[in-house]
Amino acid sequence: MTDISWITLATTAATVLAIGIGVLGPALAMGRAISSALEAIARQPEAEKSIMRTLFIGLAMIESLAIYVLVIVLIVLFRNPLLEYVLQAVS
Amino acid sequence: MTDISWITLATTAATVLAIGIGVLGPALAMGRAISSALEAIARQPEAEKSIMRTLFIGLAMIESLAIYVLVIVLIVLFRNPLLEYVLQAVS
Amino acid sequence: MTDISWITLATTAATVLAIGIGVLGPALAMGRAISSALEAIARQPEAEKSIMRTLFIGLAMIESLAIYVLVIVLIVLFRNPLLEYVLQAVS
Amino acid sequence: MTDISWITLATTAATVLAIGIGVLGPALAMGRAISSALEAIARQPEAEKSIMRTLFIGLAMIESLAIYVLVIVLIVLFRNPLLEYVLQAVS
Amino acid sequence: MTDISWITLATTAATVLAIGIGVLGPALAMGRAISSALEAIARQPEAEKSIMRTLFIGLAMIESLAIYVLVIVLIVLFRNPLLEYVLQAVS
Amino acid sequence: MTDISWITLATTAATVLAIGIGVLGPALAMGRAISSALEAIARQPEAEKSIMRTLFIGLAMIESLAIYVLVIVLIVLFRNPLLEYVLQAVS
Amino acid sequence: MTDISWITLATTAATVLAIGIGVLGPALAMGRAISSALEAIARQPEAEKSIMRTLFIGLAMIESLAIYVLVIVLIVLFRNPLLEYVLQAVS
Amino acid sequence: MTDISWITLATTAATVLAIGIGVLGPALAMGRAISSALEAIARQPEAEKSIMRTLFIGLAMIESLAIYVLVIVLIVLFRNPLLEYVLQAVS
Amino acid sequence: MTDISWITLATTAATVLAIGIGVLGPALAMGRAISSALEAIARQPEAEKSIMRTLFIGLAMIESLAIYVLVIVLIVLFRNPLLEYVLQAVS
Amino acid sequence: MTDISWITLATTAATVLAIGIGVLGPALAMGRAISSALEAIARQPEAEKSIMRTLFIGLAMIESLAIYVLVIVLIVLFRNPLLEYVLQAVS
Amino acid sequence: MTDISWITLATTAATVLAIGIGVLGPALAMGRAISSALEAIARQPEAEKSIMRTLFIGLAMIESLAIYVLVIVLIVLFRNPLLEYVLQAVS
Amino acid sequence: MTDISWITLATTAATVLAIGIGVLGPALAMGRAISSALEAIARQPEAEKSIMRTLFIGLAMIESLAIYVLVIVLIVLFRNPLLEYVLQAVS
Amino acid sequence: MTDISWITLATTAATVLAIGIGVLGPALAMGRAISSALEAIARQPEAEKSIMRTLFIGLAMIESLAIYVLVIVLIVLFRNPLLEYVLQAVS
Amino acid sequence: MTDISWITLATTAATVLAIGIGVLGPALAMGRAISSALEAIARQPEAEKSIMRTLFIGLAMIESLAIYVLVIVLIVLFRNPLLEYVLQAVS
C-alpha cells in the first residue's frame, strides 16, 4: 500500500471512533442538566424563566465541548496540516 | 489485497462500530431526560406545557450530538475527502 | 483469500457486533423511561393521558437512535458505497 | 483454508457472541420495566389496567430492539448478501 | 489442520462462551423482577393475583431473550447453514 | 499437534471458563431474590406461604438459565455434533 | 512438546482460573442472602424459624451453582471425555 | 525447554493468580455478612445468640467456596491427574 | 512508508482520540455544576445572582481544562516542535 | 535461557502480582467489617463486648482467606512441588 | 525510520493522550466542588463570602494538579532533557 | 541478554507494579474505617475510648495485609529463593 | 535505533502517561474534601475557622501524594540514576 | 541493545507507572477520611480535638502505605539489589 492509503485508512477509522467516543461525555452531561431543569420547573414553576436561561447557557457550554471534537475531526478529514508534508514527500 | 480493498474493509468495520458506540451516550441522556419529564408531570400536572417545551429543546440538543456521529459516518462512507488522494495515486 | 472475501468476513463480523452493542444504550434508556412512566401513573392516575403522550414521544426519539444503527448496518450489508471501488478494481 | 471456510468460521463466532451481548441491554431494560410495574401495582392496585397497558407497549418496544439483533444475526447466517460476491469469485 | 477442524474448534469455543455471557442479562433481569414481586406481595398481600400475573408475563418475556441466544447457539452447533458451503468445497 | 488435540485443548479451556462465567448472572439474581424474600418475610410474616411460592417459581426460572449453560457445556464435552465431521475427515 | 503436554498445560491453567472466577458470583450472592437474613432476624426475632428455612433453601440453590462449576472442573481434570480421542490418536 | 518445564511454569503462574482472584468473592461476601451481623447486634442486642448462629452457618458456607478454590489449586500443584500422561509420554 | 508519513498517521489518530477522551471529564463536570445550579435556583430563586456568578466562574475553570487539551492538540497538529528535528534529518 | 531461568522469572512475577491482587478482597472486607463495628459501638455503646467478639471472629475468618493466598505464594516460592520434576529432568 | 522520527512519533502520541487523560480527574473534582458550592449558597446565602473563598482556594489546588500534567507535557514537547543524549549520539 | 538480566528486568517491573496495586485495597479499607470512626466520635463523643481501641485493632489488621505484600516484594527483591537454582546453573 | 534512543522514547511516553494517571486520585480526593468543607461551612458557618484548618492540612497531605509522582517523574526525566550505567556502557 | 539498557528502559517505565497507580488508593482514602472529619466537625464542633487526633493518626497510617510504594520505587531506581548480579555478569 502507498503512504497515502495507510494514512487514509488510519485517519478514517480514528475519526469515526473519536466522534463516537467524544459525544458520550457531552450527551450524559446534557441529560443531567435537562433532567435537573425539569425537576426544578416541577418544583418552582414560577422560576421557569431564570431556569431556562441557566439551562440554555449550560447547554451551550457543553455543546461547545462537542464542537471542539467535531472541529478537530473535520480539520483532520478535510484540511490535515500534516498531510502537506506527506504530499510534498510523495510528489 | 489492493489499497482500496484495505480502506473499504477498515472504513466499513470502523463506521458500524462507531455508530454503535456513538448512540450509547445520547440514548442514556434521552432516557434520563424523559424519565425526569415524566416525574415532573406526575408531580406538577398543570406545568405540563413548560415541561414539554423544555423536554423538546433538550431532546433536540441531545439528538444533535447523535446527528454529528451520523454525519461523520455518512461523510466517511459516501464522500470520504481523503479517498481522492488514494484514487489519484492508484489511477 | 481474495479481496472480496476479506471484506465480507470483516463486514459480517463488525455488523453483528455493532448491532449487538448499538441496542444496549437505547434499551437501557427505554427501560428507564417506561419505568418512570409506570411510577408516574401509579402516583397520578388521572394524568395518564399526558404521561402516555410524553412517553410515546420519548420512546420514538430513543427508537430513532437504534434505527440509525440499523440503517448504517443495512447500508453496509446491502449497499456498501465503497464496495463499488473494490469491484471496479477487481474486474 | 479456503475463503468460504474462513468466512464461515468468523461469521459463526461473531453471530453467537453478538446475540449473547445483544440481549444484555433489552434484558436489563425489561427487568427494570417489570420491576416498576410490580411496584406500581402494589402502590395503586386499582390502576392495574393502565399500568398493564403501558407495560405491554414498553415491553414490545424493548423486544423490538432484541428483534433487530436477531434479524441481523439470521440474515448474516442464512442470507448474507455479501456472500454472493464471494461465491461468484470462487466459482 | 483441515478446514472443518478449525471451524469446529472456533464454533465450539464461541458457543459455550456466548451462552455463558448471554444468560447474564436475563438472569439479572429476572432477579430484579422477582425481587420486586416479593416486595410488592409483602406490601400488598391482597393484590397477589395481579402481581403474579404481571410477574409471569414479565418472566416469559425475559426468558424469550435467553431462548433467542439458546436457539442461535443450537442452530450453529447442529444445523449451521454456512457449513454446507464448506462441506461442498471440501468434497 | 493433531487436529483432535487442538480441538480437545480449546474445548476444554472454553467450557470451564464458560461455566465459570455462566453461573455469575444466575448466582447474583438468586442472591437478590432470596434477599428480597427474607426482607418480605420479616415485614409480613403472615404472607410467608405466598412469598415462598413466588420465590420457588423465581428460583426455578433463574436455575433454568444456569441449566442452559450446563447443558450446552455437557453437549460440547460429551456429544459435540461438529466432532463427527472432524472424525470422518481424520479417518 | 507432545500433544498431551499442551493439553495438560492448557487444562490446568484454565481449570484453576475457572474455579477462581466461578466462586465469585455464588460468594457475592451468599453474602447478600446471609446479610438480609441477619437484618430480618434483627427486625423480626420471632420469625427466626421461617427466615432460617428460607435462607437454607436459598443457600442450597446458590451452592448448587458453585457445584456445577466444581463438577465440570473435576470432570475435565479427572475424566475428560475428549481425551480418549487424543490418546487413541497418539497410541 | 522440556515439556515438564513449560507445564511447571504455566501451572505455577496460573495457580497463584487463581487463588488471588478466588478469595476476592468470598472475602467481599464475608465482609458483607459480618457487617450486617454487627448492625443486627447493635439494633437487637438480645437476639445475639440467633444472629451469631446464622452468621456462623453463613461464614461456613462462604468459606466452603474458598475451600473449593484452595482444593483445586492444591490438587493441581501436588497431584495433577493429567501429569501422569505427560510423565508416561516422557519416560 | 517515509518517516513523515508514519508521524502523520500516528499524530492524526492520536489527536482525534485524545480530544474525544479529553472532553469526557469537563463535560461530566459541567453537567454536574449546571445541574446543581438549577437545583439551587429552584430552592432559592432570590439567590439567583450569586448562584449565576459562582456557576460562571466554575464553568470557566472547567472550560480551561478542555482548552488545555485543545491547545496541545492544535500545537501537535499545526506546530509540532519535534517535527523540525525530523524535517532537518530528512532534508 | 535455561528452563530454570524461565520458571524463576514467571514464578517471581506471578507471585508478587498474585499477593498484590489477593489482599484486595480481604482488605475491602475488613474495612467494611470494622466500619460497621464502629457504627454499632456508636449506636449501642453498652453492647461493645458482643460487638468486639463478633468483629474478632469475622476478622479472623477474613484473615484466613488472605493467609490462603500467602501460603500458596510461599509454597510456590520456597517448596514448589512441580520443581522437582524439572530438576530431575535437568540433572 | 531514523531514531528522531520514532521518538517524535511516540512523544506526540503519548503527550496528547496524557493531557486527555490527565484533565479527567481535575475536571470531575472541580465539578464536585462547584456543585457543592452552589448547594451551599442555596442553603446559606448569607455565608456566600466564606463559601466563595473556600471554593477559590480549592479550585486553585485542583488546577495546580492539571498544571503539573501540562508542565510535564510541555517540557517533553519543547525541552525534553533526554533528547540531547539522542542528538549527541546522532550528530 | 543473559538469563540473570531477564530475571532482573521482569522481577523489577513486577515488584513495583505489585506494590502499587497491593496498597490499593488496604488504603481504601483504612479510609473507610477511619471515616466511620470519625462519624462515630461525632455521634457519641463519650465512647471515644472504645472507638479508638476498635479502630487501632482494625487498622493493625488491615496494615498486616499491606505488610504481606511488602514482605513478598522484599523477599523477591533481596532473597529470591529461586535465584539460587539459576545462579547454580549459570556458574 | 541506538540504546539511548529507545530509552528516551520509552521514558518520555511512560512519564507523561504516569503524571496523567497519577493526578487522578489526588484530584478526586481534593474534590471530595473541598466538597465536604463547603457543606460543613453551609451547615455550621461559625465553625469556619476549624473547618478551614482541617481542610488545609488535608489538602496538603493529598498534595504530597501528587508531589511524590511529580518528583519521581522529574528524577526520571532529568537525573535518571540508571542512565549512568547505560552511558558508561555506550562510551 | 545491551542488557543494562533493556533493564534501564523497563525499570524506568515500570517505576513511573507504579508510583502513578500507587498513589490512587491512598489519595482516595485520604479524601474520604478528611471528608468525614469535616462533616464530624460540622456536626460536633466541640469534639474537634479528638476528631483531629483520630484524623492525624488515620492520615499517618494511610501515608505509610504511599511511603511503602515510594520506598520500593526508590530502592529499585537507586539501589536495585538484583542489578549487582547483572553488573557482575557483564563485567
Side-chain angles (χ1 to χ4, degrees), chain K residues 11-71:
Chain K
T11 305
T12 306
T15 46
V16 287
L17 289 174
I19 192 80
I21 296 166
V23 300
L24 183 65
L28 295 180
M30 280 189 186
R32 186 164 197 175
I34 297 160
S35 161
S36 294
L38 289 164
E39 278 165 28
I41 289 172
R43 217 172 348 152
Q44 285 276 24
E46 68 272 22
E48 200 205 329
K49 226 171 175 175
S50 64
I51 287 167
M52 291 304 274
R53 198 171 43 219
T54 312
L55 178 63
F56 286 166
I57 294 166
L59 289 183
M61 289 296 279
I62 299 170
E63 188 79 26
S64 78
L65 293 176
I67 297 293
Y68 291 171
V69 184
L70 194 66
V71 163

Side-chain angles (χ1 to χ4, degrees), chain L residues 1-2 4-5 8-9 11-13 16 20 23-24 27 34-35 38 41-42 45 48 52 55-56 63 66-67 73 77-78 87, chain N residues 3 6 10-11 18 22 25-26 29 33 36 40 44 50-51 53-54 57-58 61 64-65 68-69 72 76 80-82 85-86:
Chain L
M1 291 176 69
T2 62
I4 263 298
S5 303
T8 301
L9 190 159
T11 304
T12 305
V16 287
V23 301
L24 184 64
I34 296 161
S35 160
L38 289 163
I41 289 172
E48 200 205 329
M52 291 304 274
L55 178 63
F56 286 165
E63 188 79 26
I67 297 292
V73 160
L77 270 183
F78 286 94
L87 292 175
Chain N
D3 289 20
W6 271 113
T11 304
S36 294
Q44 286 276 25
S50 63
I51 287 166
R53 198 172 43 219
T54 312
I57 293 166
M61 290 296 279
S64 77
L65 293 175
Y68 292 171
V69 183
I72 295 292
V76 159
N80 190 338
L82 291 166
Y85 298 105
V86 181

Side-chain angles (χ1 to χ4, degrees), chain F residues 1-2 4-5 7-9 11-13 15-17 19-21 23-24 26-28 30-32 34-35 37-39 41-43 45 48 52 55-56 59-60 63 66-67 70 73-74 76-78 83 87, chain G residues 3 6-7 10-11 14-15 17-18 21-22 24-26 28-29 32-33 36-37 39-40 43-44 47 50-51 53-55 57-59 61-62 64-65 68-69 72-73 75-76 80-83 85-86 89:
Chain F
M1 289 178 69
T2 62
I4 266 294
S5 302
I7 294 170
T8 300
L9 191 158
T11 305
T12 305
T15 46
V16 287
L17 288 174
I19 194 79
I21 295 166
V23 301
L24 184 65
L28 295 180
M30 279 190 189
R32 187 166 195 174
I34 297 162
S35 160
L38 289 164
E39 278 166 27
I41 289 172
R43 220 178 337 158
E48 201 207 327
M52 291 303 276
L55 177 63
F56 286 165
L59 289 183
E63 187 79 27
I67 297 293
L70 193 68
V73 160
L74 290 176
V76 158
L77 269 183
F78 286 93
L83 211 64
L87 292 176
Chain G
D3 289 21
W6 270 112
I7 294 169
T11 305
T15 45
L17 288 173
I21 296 166
L24 184 65
L28 295 179
R32 187 166 195 175
S36 294
E39 278 166 27
R43 223 180 333 159
Q44 285 275 23
S50 62
I51 287 166
R53 199 170 43 221
T54 312
L55 177 63
I57 293 165
L59 289 183
M61 290 297 278
I62 298 170
S64 77
L65 293 175
Y68 291 173
V69 183
I72 295 292
V73 159
I75 285 175
V76 159
N80 190 339
L82 291 165
L83 211 63
Y85 298 106
V86 180

Side-chain angles (χ1 to χ4, degrees), chain L residues 20-21 23-31, chain M residues 25-26 29 65, chain N residues 19-32 62 65-66:
Chain L
I21 295 165
V23 301
L24 184 64
L28 295 180
M30 280 189 186
Chain M
L65 294 175
Chain N
I19 192 80
I21 295 165
V23 301
L24 184 64
L28 295 180
M30 280 189 186
R32 186 164 196 175
I62 298 170
L65 293 175

Side-chain angles (χ1 to χ4, degrees), chain J residues 26-32, chain L residues 24-34 59 62, chain N residues 29:
Chain J
L28 295 180
M30 280 190 187
R32 187 166 195 175
Chain L
L24 184 64
L28 295 180
M30 280 189 186
R32 188 165 195 175
I34 296 161
L59 289 183
I62 298 170

Side-chain angles (χ1 to χ4, degrees), chain J residues 1-2 4-9 11-17 19-21 23-24 26-32 34-39 41-45 48 52 55-56 59-60 63 66-67 70 73-74 76-80 83 87, chain L residues 1-3 6-7 10-11 14-15 17-18 21-22 24-26 28-30 32-34 36-37 39-40 43-44 47 50-55 57-59 61-62 64-66 68-69 72-73 75-76 79-83 85-86 89:
Chain J
M1 291 177 69
T2 62
I4 263 299
S5 302
W6 270 112
I7 294 169
T8 300
L9 191 159
T11 304
T12 305
T15 45
V16 286
L17 288 174
I19 193 80
I21 296 166
V23 301
L24 184 65
L28 295 180
M30 280 190 187
R32 187 166 195 175
I34 296 161
S35 160
S36 294
L38 289 163
E39 278 166 27
I41 289 173
R43 222 180 335 157
Q44 285 275 26
E48 200 205 328
M52 292 303 275
L55 177 63
F56 286 165
L59 289 183
E63 188 79 26
I67 297 293
L70 194 66
V73 160
L74 291 176
V76 159
L77 270 183
F78 286 93
R79 288 262 175 281
N80 190 339
L83 212 62
L87 292 175
Chain L
M1 291 176 69
T2 62
D3 290 19
W6 270 113
I7 294 170
T11 304
T15 46
L17 288 174
I21 295 165
L24 184 64
L28 295 180
M30 280 189 186
R32 188 165 195 175
I34 296 161
S36 295
E39 278 166 27
R43 221 179 337 157
Q44 286 275 26
S50 63
I51 287 167
M52 291 304 274
R53 198 171 44 220
T54 313
L55 178 63
I57 293 166
L59 289 183
M61 290 296 279
I62 298 170
S64 77
L65 293 175
Y68 291 171
V69 183
I72 295 293
V73 160
I75 286 175
V76 159
R79 287 262 175 281
N80 190 339
L82 291 166
L83 212 63
Y85 298 105
V86 181

Side-chain angles (χ1 to χ4, degrees), chain E residues 1-85:
Chain E
M1 290 178 69
T2 62
D3 289 20
I4 265 296
S5 302
W6 270 113
I7 294 171
T8 301
L9 191 158
T11 305
T12 305
T15 46
V16 287
L17 288 174
I19 193 80
I21 296 166
V23 301
L24 184 65
L28 295 180
M30 279 190 188
R32 187 166 195 174
I34 296 161
S35 160
S36 294
L38 289 164
E39 278 166 27
I41 288 173
R43 218 176 341 156
Q44 284 276 23
E46 67 272 20
E48 200 206 328
K49 227 170 174 176
S50 62
I51 286 167
M52 291 303 275
R53 201 171 42 222
T54 312
L55 177 63
F56 286 165
I57 293 166
L59 289 183
M61 290 296 279
I62 298 170
E63 188 79 27
S64 77
L65 293 175
I67 297 293
Y68 291 173
V69 183
L70 193 67
V71 163
I72 295 292
V73 160
L74 290 176
I75 285 175
V76 158
L77 269 184
F78 286 94
R79 289 258 174 284
N80 190 340
L82 291 165
L83 211 63
E84 294 176 28
Y85 298 106

